[in-house]
Amino acid sequence: MTLEPPHDILSHIAGRFAPLPNDAVIGVAVSGGSDSVALLLALRAAFPKANLCAATVDHGLRIEAQQEAQWVSALCANLGIDHSILPINDLPTGPNLQARARQARYDALAAWGQAMACSSICLGHSQTDVAESFLIRLARGSGVDGLSEMRGRWTDRGMEWQRPLLAFSRAKLQDFLRGQGQGWCNDPSNEDPAFMRVRMRQAAPDLDALGLTGLRLAKTATRMRYVQEALEFSMRGLWPQVAKIDFTDVLFDREALGRLPREYVERMLAAALNWISGQPHRPRNSALLRCLRAKKTMTLHGCVLIPQPENLLRISREFSAVEGVVAQAGTTWDGRISITKYQKSYEIRALGPSGLAQCPEWRETGRPRLAILASPSLWQGETLLAAPMAHFGPKDMLKVVSPPWE
């Protein structure tokens, strides 16, 4: 990403996507706000013949959202761009409304993008978003990962995502729209001080006076991303020294792990927990350090942590988290287990007590019962075909997605 905003937004957009394949379909998430509207117009102007499609997510949280979605629909019609409104009618309950809405939004956009055969979905986040996110996470005491710059390009939920406008401030994007004679929608919640992001936005003039401008904060976030990349790079050579994979589990040598700097310890434990549980966010650092010192079996993050002889720590899936999970042939179980040789009638399930009872040699594996109960097994109806961690049946009928550090 260019640190200094390029003079020409259109040339920046064109350079980011060039060369653009003739059959490429670019999806654009458009809320109606200035950033996303600027992205839509910039893409259309930079690629007048490109196959663009747009989507607006309506979380059902504000009456005005329906009107904004219709406004975007009319704008897209004028531009000759296909537009879809994606309603979310079943937003999960729980704390942190914004986080829940964000997850639901990405789920809806990913499903839409796949249906439209999009090569990528573009999001209208700006340099201003980078600066605000940096301040929010700084206030929460985040470390390197939290303070790192937003990703400009990544893959998730089977889709490629892009943020082409991270080099531009919101003010610059709004100037671009004014130059085009184009308006945008103003979300009233953007003025609600109940939200931390709004309070950070309102504090921007005072921060600017202290030299903490949006550009300066964005540059610092970029430096944090470089540090993050350096840590990940150096950590790859350390994994074989402190951990090994046991099919779906991770075994840590706690003595070797404890000799590493604390940042490495926390990152490695978090990476193992996330790989096993499939959760995108890491546990709190205080909980991670308890893992390293644990003398008794404990649960965390959808996993069970089991102290083993020779000062080893085994991290396995928690049985209660997968007890009712069933994957049909051709799909993945628990996000990382698939069938290598299968018929349509095959299913993957957690082995569980009933399956364990059919595995007389499981004790000879040396693996703890809790780990084997949650391990994946292959079934045809009520017939157990394979349970690799319990030494039952063929070992090669189930395949595990490799962890990200290998």
Side-chain angles (χ1 to χ4, degrees):
M1 188 192 88
T2 306
L3 288 180
E4 296 294 339
H7 177 70
D8 188 344
I9 291 176
L10 299 188
S11 64
H12 177 73
I13 291 286
R16 185 179 180 89
F17 285 89
L20 185 67
N22 293 331
D23 59 349
V25 180
I26 300 177
V28 191
V30 186
S31 65
S34 59
D35 295 357
S36 60
V37 173
L39 175 61
L40 182 69
L41 265 63
L43 283 167
R44 172 47 79 215
F47 302 106
K49 297 182 179 180
N51 190 355
L52 299 182
C53 56
T56 303
V57 178
D58 180 2
H59 300 88
L61 299 175
R62 297 183 298 110
I63 297 177
E64 300 89 349
Q66 297 179 11
Q67 299 172 347
E68 292 161 3
Q70 293 298 331
W71 183 89
V72 175
S73 186
L75 172 63
C76 289
N78 289 335
L79 295 171
I81 298 173
D82 181 88
H83 178 254
S84 302
I85 298 175
L86 310 178
I88 297 177
N89 300 316
D90 54 351
L91 190 65
T93 58
N96 199 334
L97 175 62
Q98 289 189 321
R100 286 183 285 117
R102 181 170 56 251
Q103 291 297 321
R105 180 166 61 253
Y106 276 97
D107 289 343
L109 286 170
W112 166 78
Q114 291 167 3
M116 298 296 290
C118 293
S119 58
S120 62
I121 298 177
C122 296
L123 307 173
H125 294 105
S126 66
Q127 185 185 88
T128 305
D129 290 306
V130 175
E132 291 172 356
S133 295
F134 181 89
L135 288 172
I136 291 170
R137 291 168 179 173
L138 184 65
R140 293 173 178 168
S142 296
V144 170
D145 290 351
L147 298 177
S148 295
E149 174 190 56
M150 289 180 176
R151 294 174 291 182
R153 188 193 302 261
W154 76 102
T155 300
D156 183 40
R157 295 170 170 86
M159 283 298 310
E160 181 184 80
W161 305 81
Q162 294 201 52
R163 294 183 173 114
L165 298 180
L166 291 182
F168 300 91
S169 68
R170 181 163 298 127
K172 187 171 182 66
L173 295 177
Q174 290 177 352
D175 286 343
F176 167 74
L177 289 175
R178 293 187 187 99
Q180 303 289 312
Q182 177 62 58
W184 60 87
C185 299
N186 288 310
D187 181 349
S189 65
N190 287 333
E191 305 299 327
D192 186 353
F195 295 109
M196 172 70 82
R197 186 172 294 275
V198 174
R199 297 198 296 275
M200 291 298 182
R201 191 171 299 155
Q202 293 171 343
D206 293 332
L207 295 173
D208 288 350
L210 295 173
L212 296 174
T213 63
L215 179 59
R216 182 67 56 81
L217 293 171
K219 284 184 174 183
T220 304
T222 300
R223 297 299 304 175
M224 289 295 101
R225 175 169 60 84
Y226 295 158
V227 173
Q228 181 188 45
E229 291 172 352
L231 286 168
E232 294 294 336
F233 179 82
S234 62
M235 202 165 64
R236 287 184 178 275
L238 297 174
W239 275 101
Q241 303 176 33
V242 300
K244 67 177 182 179
I245 304 299
D246 182 20
F247 199 58
T248 54
D249 292 1
V250 178
L251 272 171
F252 279 106
D253 180 333
R254 288 203 278 189
E255 183 177 349
L257 185 64
R259 289 195 293 266
L260 296 179
R262 175 169 170 168
E263 182 70 18
Y264 286 122
V265 174
E266 293 174 357
R267 283 177 172 274
M268 288 178 160
L269 288 171
L273 288 162
N274 285 352
W275 177 63
I276 293 171
S277 69
Q279 297 191 44
H281 303 293
R282 56 186 281 173
R284 294 183 181 277
N285 291 344
S286 57
L288 292 172
L289 293 177
R290 287 201 303 272
C291 296
L292 184 62
R293 298 189 292 263
K295 296 182 179 179
K296 297 182 179 180
T297 298
M298 61 178 287
T299 58
L300 177 66
H301 217 52
C303 302
V304 58
L305 297 94
I306 309 169
Q308 301 265 256
E310 300 180 7
N311 205 18
L312 298 178
L313 178 68
R314 177 182 292 271
I315 304 182
S316 308
R317 194 66 161 115
E318 187 177 3
F319 177 60
S320 62
V322 291
E323 184 175 2
V325 178
V326 177
Q328 306 297 326
T331 62
T332 58
W333 181 80
D334 201 29
R336 59 191 177 122
I337 317 296
S338 59
I339 305 171
T340 57
K341 304 173 183 178
Y342 62 86
Q343 298 179 9
K344 291 184 178 179
S345 58
Y346 288 1
E347 294 180 341
I348 310 177
R349 312 172 199 162
L351 184 60
S354 62
L356 188 65
Q358 301 180 50
C359 304
E361 298 180 3
W362 75 266
R363 289 182 177 83
E364 298 176 13
T365 69
R367 299 180 176 111
R369 184 175 184 273
L370 281 177
I372 296 180
L373 283 176
S375 68
S377 56
L378 185 63
W379 297 75
Q380 187 172 36
E382 297 305 312
T383 301
L384 178 64
L385 302 178
M389 289 193 70
H391 282 189
F392 182 91
K395 298 180 180 179
D396 61 349
M397 294 185 74
L398 294 177
K399 180 181 179 180
V400 185
V401 174
S402 297
W405 58 85
E406 287 194 342

